[in-house]
Amino acid sequence: MTIDNFNFNGKKAIVRVDFNVPLDENGNITDDTRIRGALPTLKKILADGGSLIIMSHMGKPKGKVKSSLSLSQIKDTVAKYLERPVEFAEDCAKAADKAAALKPGEVLLLENLRFYPEEEGKPVGIDKEDPAYDAAKKEMKERQKEFAKTLAGYADVYVNDAFGTAHRRHASTAVIADYFDADHKMLGYLMEKEVNAVDNILSDIKRPFTAIMGGSKVSTKIGIIENLMDKVDNLILCGGMTYTFAKALGGKIGKSICEDDKLQLALDIIEKAKAKGVNLLLAVDCVAGDDFKNDANTIICSVREIPDGWEGLDIGPETTKLFCDAIKNAKTILWNGPAGVFEFDNFAKGSRAIAEAIVEATENGAFSLVGGGDSVACVNKFGLADKVSYVSTGGGALLEAIEGKVLPGIAAIRG
Ligand code: AMP
């Protein structure tokens, strides 16, 4: 069932969205991309004559009420975009009356789901090592079911449009689906777009396929790196993980970021790439700084000959050319993680060059998918977000989907 072939007229729809937007210290939204991302789904339901119960999490309140993470702060923005008043339920588990009172075209926004520990379903205040942990976990899973059932009771139809949390089996993202028939639960438009983008990357790959993995650490990306080896022609590894590889290969890396316990893993990745015939591209030179700040002094040097007291903070010119050539020739591109500390303008050149090469390849017919918080921030910073094929809203969810894992939020609906 898709929302396109469902008529919401006279129905109450409970929609899980990702309104986990960044706020400043005064509670003002600094980037409302995620709210705008869910609008097509919300507007379709209202246009059909349905009523909306919108639910989301915000931040990590860890099962406790935290006023700085209250969704009441975004109510007016949601009302502005939906061009109608939005009712607010301060307690998402006690909103039955407000939900029952909704008339067609009316909107109810529930408070942050994660004010309840049941949403994530993890026991709070008890250590995993504690002998009572397993019993506490079991009990919490039961409470999670009850919580999901309560939420389900508010509506006739369940729609999941929150890709960013689709890799979590939470009450509102997956468990709730158990309380709806197959023809009364569906994925929203944003979720469908995300799923299609991943399908584009995983099936019917146009070659060459170049993946660019950056960011700070090898350890958080190892699953996806290993998985990509079975799919890509060129695998570019950049960002902070460069220096773990450089050290593993016997280089001097100064005070660059490095995971000393992952040196063998780095060598294994190099061997695996060889065995699988993947063209693994690692940085050869870097822009090093004498401090972790934008106006640090800089030198350009080999990634294996970084002087003491200096740290690699961006890729160097030779590397930039090497990487960009592999990107410009590609017909399928995946980018996750910046090439350097792009937050500092003086160390953003490498990431900018990568973004521009992706845009060029896209203009020449490549399919390009950019995902994961920081690379999205990168393309936004350079004003290039609308020049790539697709910018994913998912970080962990996107990587898990590309790793080939079944996302609980999607499985709950598609079976
Ligand atoms: P991740 O969350 O693992 O994707 O990492 C993103 C972060 O990695 C960004 O905040 C970058 O500033 C950081 N990063 C990229 N390259 C480096 C580097 N050479 N040294 C330190 N941090 C880096």
Side-chain angles (χ1 to χ4, degrees):
M1 180 59 68
T2 71
I3 64 170
D4 263 335
N5 54 34
F6 191 88
N7 187 350
F8 289 88
N9 190 19
K11 303 277 188 212
K12 288 192 172 79
I14 188 158
V15 187
R16 176 54 156 103
V17 293
D18 181 3
F19 282 177
N20 181 25
V21 290
L23 302 175
D24 66 15
E25 59 279 10
N26 300 318
N28 299 312
I29 300 171
T30 54
D31 180 352
D32 65 5
T33 312
R34 286 180 174 157
I35 296 181
R36 286 185 285 109
L39 291 177
T41 295
L42 303 180
K43 286 186 171 169
K44 143 81 180 161
I45 294 167
L46 293 172
D48 273 4
S51 49
L52 273 179
I53 299 142
I54 304 174
M55 57 178 175
S56 177
H57 78 282
M58 180 184 273
K60 294 182 175 162
K62 301 212 164 109
K64 294 205 178 69
V65 175
K66 216 172 157 193
S67 58
S68 61
L69 294 174
S70 172
L71 285 177
S72 61
Q73 300 167 100
I74 66 161
K75 181 178 135 201
D76 292 345
T77 305
V78 179
K80 181 186 83 184
Y81 281 124
L82 294 179
E83 297 169 335
R84 68 197 71 212
V86 168
E87 180 73 16
F88 187 70
E90 275 114 40
D91 188 334
C92 61
K94 296 199 176 94
D97 291 346
K98 286 190 169 169
L102 285 176
K103 295 193 193 67
E106 291 185 345
V107 182
L108 174 65
L109 173 66
L110 303 185
E111 182 53 292
N112 191 343
L113 293 158
R114 289 194 189 165
F115 284 180
Y116 276 84
E118 287 84 351
E119 165 62 0
E120 293 181 78
K122 274 188 251 154
V124 270
I126 179 161
D127 204 78
K128 274 195 177 147
E129 312 304 318
D130 194 310
Y133 182 83
D134 283 349
K137 190 171 162 195
K138 214 169 148 206
E139 192 221 321
M140 182 53 90
K141 288 286 165 206
E142 287 308 310
R143 281 169 52 187
Q144 185 183 47
K145 282 187 202 160
E146 278 308 307
F147 182 63
K149 195 173 166 189
T150 301
L151 297 171
Y154 299 161
D156 309 302
V157 194
Y158 168 63
V159 180
N160 189 352
D161 213 15
F163 183 68
T165 47
H167 58 317
R168 306 276 178 232
R169 190 171 162 77
H170 291 171
S172 68
T173 62
V175 183
I176 187 173
D178 291 346
Y179 301 96
F180 291 89
D181 298 337
D183 54 355
H184 284 82
K185 51 186 169 189
M186 55 206 82
L187 303 179
Y189 289 129
L190 178 63
M191 193 77 134
E192 283 209 337
K193 271 204 313 198
E194 297 276 3
V195 171
N196 289 342
V198 172
D199 280 352
N200 243 317
I201 286 280
L202 292 185
S203 56
D204 190 25
I205 299 167
K206 284 185 275 159
R207 297 194 177 275
F209 180 0
T210 297
I212 309 119
M213 302 300 296
S216 53
K217 294 177 175 172
V218 188
S219 51
T220 54
K221 305 274 161 93
I222 183 64
I224 179 98
I225 290 172
E226 292 200 323
N227 188 274
L228 282 171
M229 296 244 222
D230 292 324
K231 302 187 173 78
V232 298
D233 303 292
N234 302 305
L235 179 58
I236 295 174
L237 297 182
C238 52
M241 55 182 134
T242 302
Y243 309 97
T244 302
F245 281 87
K247 186 166 178 182
L249 290 166
K252 272 179 65 225
I253 59 163
K255 58 174 182 176
S256 304
I257 186 171
C258 178
E259 288 175 283
D260 280 320
D261 59 336
K262 296 289 177 287
L263 299 178
Q264 186 54 47
L265 181 69
L267 296 177
D268 293 346
I269 291 173
I270 293 171
E271 283 313 309
K272 245 185 209 163
K274 268 191 206 143
K276 291 189 186 264
V278 169
N279 180 27
L280 179 68
L281 297 170
L282 293 167
V284 287
D285 62 346
C286 68
V287 183
D290 61 354
D291 204 351
F292 192 80
K293 59 179 189 192
N294 185 45
D295 54 2
N297 294 307
T298 60
I299 50 168
I300 290 168
C301 58
S302 156
V303 293
R304 298 204 213 168
E305 287 160 23
I306 302 174
D308 288 343
W310 294 75
E311 58 191 306
L313 295 174
D314 195 7
I315 50 175
E318 211 182 309
T319 306
T320 304
K321 183 168 179 333
L322 180 76
F323 288 0
C324 289
D325 285 346
I327 295 167
K328 285 177 192 166
N329 288 330
K331 285 283 168 264
T332 303
I333 301 168
L334 170 70
W335 184 22
N336 174 274
V341 185
F342 77 102
E343 296 92 334
F344 299 151
D345 285 348
N346 290 336
F347 299 100
K349 279 197 201 85
S351 300
R352 179 189 285 275
I354 286 180
E356 286 170 349
I358 295 174
V359 168
E360 190 178 320
T362 311
E363 282 164 357
N364 290 329
F367 176 80
S368 53
L369 171 57
V370 178
D374 279 307
S375 19
V376 175
C378 256
V379 285
N380 283 336
K381 176 174 173 141
F382 307 139
L384 298 172
D386 56 356
K387 295 201 166 92
V388 299
S389 308
Y390 191 72
V391 178
S392 173
T393 57
L398 176 75
L399 296 188
E400 287 196 17
I402 292 175
E403 272 175 51
K405 289 190 187 155
V406 175
L407 304 187
I410 294 169
I413 286 177
R414 293 198 164 167

